Amino acid sequence: MARLFGTNGVRGVVNTELTVEMAVRLGKAIGTFFKERVAIASDTRNSGSMIKSAVASGLMSVGVDVVDLGMTPTPSMQYFVGTHDMNGGVMITASHNPPQFNGIKCVDATGRELTRKDEETIESIYSDGAECVEWNDVGVMTYDASATESYVNAVIEHVDTDAIRNADLTVIVDCANGAAFASAPLLLNRLGVRAITLNANPQGDAPGRPSEPTEDNLSDLISLVRSTKADLGIAHDGDADRAVFVDGDGNFVSGDKSLSIMARYISTKKKGLTVTPVSSSLMVETVVKKNGGTIMYTAVGSPAVAKAMFDNNAVFGGEENGGLIFPEHQLCRDGAMAAAKMLECIVKNGKLSKQSADLPEYNIEKRKIDCPSGSKDALLKFLTNVGDNIKKDTTDGLKMIYEDGWVLVRPSGTEPKFRIYSESKDKDVARQRADETEAKARKFLSSK
Ligand code: MG
């Protein structure tokens, strides 16, 4: 059957790709898979109530009791599931996608994202059609408004609250009018920082910035940090599982840099393994190794990172998009933990601008080329077989590893495109290797 779940659940444009009928049917399949009790939550999208109600109806029709947590961040739903007697959880969110999208994502009884194998089981139940229970066995729905507060309280236990409180910080947090509206002001208040919120309206159609926290989308946050002379700017994506930062000078800190700064901070405190996808900058590996830690690379996507962290008892993990994972709290991307830990890191290690400037310098070049989906495998095989004695890694796509850098070629999972990343200490070398790889790929594709 057709694949429903992508890297981050089922996503689509509401009422065309992601319909109520589909949500009910998927709810039935998810309920048949989990059985008994499932928690459900949504971000602030306008279609959230509609899709959530449909999934919940499907769940109850197969005999599952549903606990509705309301609007709360994805990691807050995950924390609730992991700390309550639940068989699983469902999040209604399309994370950073534009407002016309929504999505359905599942987590297991521990709150971790489902494995691909479990998703395939749900897809096959979806395809066969799940059986409803008798009228007197249908599930019931209850409401629990405590998830956000319990989550924030748990986050606070993992940082040095006194040190943060005593530092007298001013912080601007941009909630993207997303799920962070519920958690971020509460978190900052509990940490005793002077907090100014931006885009903290829980209406999906409130005017504000797009939910992807890129530098281009954060111009209001950047100017507010500058004009208020704040110590830090924090920006979340739509479901607040990610956080990126603006330093006290009002400069956007790239996700690679904030990941590296956090990896460096954690590795000075805890010896052990850091896990990150093959697409991450060598900055991460360099700072971790310098502190005596080890590094492991996984396929791209947070489920792969979280699984490797669990299997290998890692001390930290994360992605270059602001998705940071702190295993002492929970094994998933966690926007509030990332924000709280970054505040602690600044209090202990000094200004973010300084910490950012102290990172080893690497240059990354990113390209995207058109490639029909049917040619992706052949192109990957061709690129793997051409060439020389370079060290090659096929964890995800093809990574060619050089003394001073690497080139990664990866088919996009969602678009008819191929991505090329090239990183080196030397900008020209990075560009030249990207050029060469792109030329080889284009030549192969034009010969098809
Ligand atoms: Mg997200």
Side-chain angles (χ1 to χ4, degrees):
M1 68 152 287
R3 184 175 172 151
L4 276 174
F5 290 92
T7 321
N8 280 299
V10 180
R11 291 257 173 103
V13 173
V14 172
N15 276 356
T16 56
E17 293 162 343
L18 180 59
T19 63
V20 163
E21 291 78 6
M22 187 182 165
V24 171
R25 188 176 174 132
L26 191 55
K28 290 169 75 175
I30 293 166
T32 304
F33 175 77
F34 281 132
K35 304 180 177 72
E36 299 181 52
R37 279 176 308 281
V38 170
I40 193 165
S42 73
D43 66 16
T44 60
R45 286 162 196 274
N46 283 358
S47 57
S49 302
M50 181 184 84
I51 300 293
K52 186 170 74 175
S53 307
V55 173
S57 295
L59 288 164
M60 290 184 281
S61 74
V62 297
V64 169
D65 289 334
V66 177
V67 183
D68 183 353
L69 308 179
M71 288 193 284
T72 198
T74 299
S76 163
M77 180 278 288
Q78 290 173 282
Y79 185 76
F80 182 92
V81 170
T83 51
H84 288 74
D85 184 20
M86 293 285 131
N87 301 94
V90 180
M91 187 70 195
I92 311 300
T93 179
S95 184
H96 60 274
N97 288 134
Q100 64 270 32
F101 284 80
N102 214 330
I104 301 167
K105 174 167 150 169
C106 299
V107 302
D108 68 17
T110 69
R112 280 168 53 203
E113 291 171 89
L114 288 193
T115 60
R116 181 63 202 136
K117 197 165 154 275
D118 287 343
E119 287 178 349
E120 278 168 5
T121 307
I122 294 173
E123 284 168 355
S124 102
I125 303 170
Y126 178 93
S127 159
D128 296 344
E131 290 266 336
C132 290
V133 295
E134 296 284 330
W135 67 270
N136 52 348
D137 284 328
V138 298
V140 295
M141 178 138 73
T142 52
Y143 299 88
D144 191 322
S146 71
T148 308
E149 184 152 7
S150 309
Y151 163 67
V152 167
N153 287 342
V155 167
I156 287 169
E157 281 175 28
H158 295 290
V159 291
D160 189 342
T161 314
D162 289 341
I164 297 171
R165 194 176 290 277
N166 293 333
D168 192 25
L169 301 173
T170 298
V171 173
I172 320 283
V173 61
D174 183 339
C175 303
N177 291 328
F181 90 92
S183 54
L186 182 65
L187 174 76
L188 296 174
N189 185 278
R190 295 275 165 85
L191 290 173
V193 304
R194 194 177 311 109
I196 299 170
T197 52
L198 185 62
N199 299 318
N201 304 308
Q203 286 88 29
D205 57 356
R209 54 119 170 145
S211 46
E212 173 78 330
T214 57
E215 182 171 8
D216 287 347
N217 289 340
L218 299 180
S219 52
D220 288 344
L221 175 65
I222 288 167
S223 49
L224 202 53
V225 167
R226 285 182 186 160
S227 64
T228 58
K229 301 196 167 28
D231 299 287
L232 183 70
I234 302 168
H236 293 290
D237 67 329
D239 63 327
D241 58 348
R242 298 192 270 138
V244 297
F245 302 94
V246 172
D247 71 25
D249 297 335
N251 293 313
F252 178 76
V253 179
S254 74
D256 268 328
K257 286 189 173 170
S258 53
L259 171 63
S260 305
I261 288 165
M262 192 56 72
R264 180 170 62 190
Y265 179 55
I266 304 282
S267 61
T268 53
K269 291 156 51 104
K270 291 183 198 162
K271 294 287 163 253
L273 178 70
T274 292
V275 179
T276 197
V278 285
S279 52
S280 292
S281 170
L282 272 170
M283 262 189 271
V284 184
E285 179 174 334
T286 310
V287 297
V288 165
K289 284 187 171 165
K290 199 174 167 203
N291 286 336
T294 52
I295 190 104
M296 176 188 273
Y297 289 106
T298 65
V300 173
S302 64
V305 177
K307 182 172 188 311
M309 289 177 69
F310 176 76
D311 291 345
N312 299 285
N313 203 17
V315 295
F316 177 64
E319 308 170 293
E320 53 69 44
N321 60 9
L324 307 182
I325 306 176
F326 301 86
E328 67 274 31
H329 180 222
Q330 54 178 351
L331 278 167
C332 64
R333 289 192 293 215
D334 198 318
M337 264 304 282
K341 271 284 170 203
M342 189 56 88
L343 282 166
E344 184 189 278
C345 177
I346 291 171
V347 170
K348 307 265 178 179
N349 285 0
K351 288 181 174 182
L352 187 56
S353 54
K354 170 85 170 54
Q355 292 200 49
S356 180
D358 287 346
L359 287 169
E361 200 186 325
Y362 281 96
N363 295 279
I364 200 158
E365 179 88 12
K366 295 184 182 179
R367 307 273 170 88
K368 205 151 85 166
I369 59 169
D370 292 333
C371 174
S373 293
S375 301
K376 282 178 177 174
D377 288 346
L379 175 58
L380 197 59
K381 204 166 161 200
F382 166 77
L383 291 170
T384 308
N385 292 331
V386 289
D388 18 43
N389 302 321
I390 316 157
K391 195 174 152 199
K392 289 169 182 167
D393 177 314
T394 55
T395 303
D396 192 347
L398 168 69
K399 189 170 184 177
M400 293 166 276
I401 299 163
Y402 301 86
E403 195 99 314
D404 63 320
W406 50 271
V407 174
L408 174 69
V409 283
R410 246 189 106 231
S412 161
T414 49
E415 298 171 288
K417 307 240 182 240
F418 235 85
R419 290 173 202 280
I420 300 170
Y421 309 71
S422 172
E423 185 179 60
S424 167
K425 280 191 168 298
D426 186 320
K427 203 171 188 163
D428 294 334
V429 172
R431 194 179 305 127
Q432 186 200 331
R433 285 185 189 139
D435 285 344
E436 284 167 11
T437 310
E438 184 178 343
K440 272 185 211 162
R442 287 194 189 281
K443 196 172 164 199
F444 175 82
L445 289 170
S446 65
S447 72
K448 292 296 283 179

